[in-house]
Amino acid sequence: MKKWMLLCLACALLLAGCGARDDAGEGKNYADYVVVGFSQVGAESDWRKTNTRSMQEALSEENGYRLIFDDSQQKQERQITAIRNFIQQEVDYIVLAPNTEMGWTTVLAEAKAAGIPVIIVDRRIDVADNELFTCWVGSDFRKEGNTAVTWMEQHFGDRPLKIVHLQGNIGPTAQIGRTGALNAGLAAHDNWELVFRAPGDYTQAKGQELVEQLIRDGVEFNVIYAENDNMAYGAINALKAAGIRPGEDVAIISFDANRAALQMILDGEISLDVECNPLQGPRVQAVIEQLEAGKTPQKFTFVEETFFDADTLTPEIVESREY
Ligand code: GYE
């Protein structure tokens, strides 16, 4: 082997050795990072996947974090197990996107006893003692639902509505708020009739299945109120397969406002999409930075949200949409 080749080989071995020096990489030790355990609901929707990505990007090694990610597959028991694992691993912070509101007291008391701050994101938790968590960052789901109901009042007027309601899984704040608003709308309007309601668990497959079944059963309807975009996509597929025109024969009301759904507004298939902002990573990062600096973050922070329909949406907005 030539001299320069030997030199290169020696350098390569040296570099490989450096990389293996510790498992935190780049010569850093675990202690150099802020370690965060994040218990995520699942990967049921595009919103959720964007939310996970936002958290991973903000709490990255480049930014000084070690993120331990756990996907609970929409099961609260799995989230409780994940939190106990985080406590055992002595993480610096726990971030929890709760699947449901109820049932968190015991495990959060364990985190508190271990001295680990808990930041709640997205949906809220219902605990008697709000000192069990440090703060919450998320959306005002009832307001989102109210936005949809007001829009329906203004756009449908006296028209008789036969409404199909696809709910999320039962129990999370997102479902409670969006369902609560529709219930208020139903109670306030004699021309609004609920012809079907069932949980579609926020998934496209379940949304499609439910609407296919309704069509097979011969149920008549002219509005679908889907509590997220993925269920709306499934519903639209089912309608089209049966020769029913979304946006013409049946109006679609949805939540989240992912880019693909906004495109469907431009295409005339979705009538209204109420925005729900999944980009919570930088907000959680800001909260942790405040805590690291010994400051007290605001207890509840609502993210800003809007809505989109054919009157307000432009192709430029769709193109520039981050998710
Ligand atoms: O609307 C839905 C997701 O909690 C805001 O959960 C979130 C909801 C969101 O799966 O797509």
Side-chain angles (χ1 to χ4, degrees), residues 44-45 47-48 122-123 141 174 178 202 227-228 256 276:
E44 72 283 1
S45 65
W47 188 99
R48 187 65 55 197
D122 171 18
R123 302 147 178 199
F141 300 108
R178 294 168 188 169
Y202 296 113
E227 287 185 9
N228 85 339
D256 286 352
C276 184

Side-chain angles (χ1 to χ4, degrees), residues 120-250:
I120 311 287
V121 293
D122 171 18
R123 302 147 178 199
R124 292 169 80 142
I125 57 168
D126 188 345
V127 282
D129 176 9
N130 273 354
E131 293 307 309
L132 286 178
F133 61 98
T134 303
C135 61
W136 169 87
V137 179
S139 307
D140 187 337
F141 300 108
R142 180 60 193 248
K143 190 172 160 201
E144 290 175 359
N146 290 344
T147 300
V149 166
T150 305
W151 188 95
M152 287 164 68
E153 277 167 3
Q154 289 168 352
H155 288 76
F156 299 141
D158 294 337
R159 224 176 105 191
L161 303 186
K162 291 182 178 297
I163 303 171
V164 165
H165 180 192
L166 305 178
Q167 297 174 289
N169 59 306
I170 303 299
T173 321
Q175 177 273 315
I176 295 169
R178 294 168 188 169
T179 294
L182 181 60
N183 281 344
L186 286 163
H189 299 89
D190 290 342
N191 58 321
W192 293 22
E193 185 195 347
L194 182 69
V195 295
F196 179 81
R197 162 178 284 170
D201 299 341
Y202 296 113
T203 70
Q204 179 163 336
K206 195 85 189 280
Q208 181 160 341
E209 236 173 68
L210 289 170
V211 175
E212 280 169 354
Q213 187 60 46
L214 282 175
I215 296 170
R216 271 198 297 275
D217 291 348
V219 176
E220 279 187 22
F221 54 92
N222 53 14
V223 175
I224 295 180
Y225 181 100
E227 287 185 9
N228 85 339
D229 281 344
N230 289 84
M231 293 190 292
Y233 302 156
I236 288 170
N237 287 345
L239 294 177
K240 284 182 172 173
I244 304 168
R245 293 165 305 174
E248 305 232 1
D249 305 321
V250 175

Side-chain angles (χ1 to χ4, degrees), residues 45-55 258 278-279 323:
S45 65
D46 293 335
W47 188 99
R48 187 65 55 197
K49 289 176 199 159
T50 305
N51 180 246
T52 296
R53 187 165 38 82
S54 169
M55 219 67 85
N258 291 289
L279 304 176
Y323 53 91

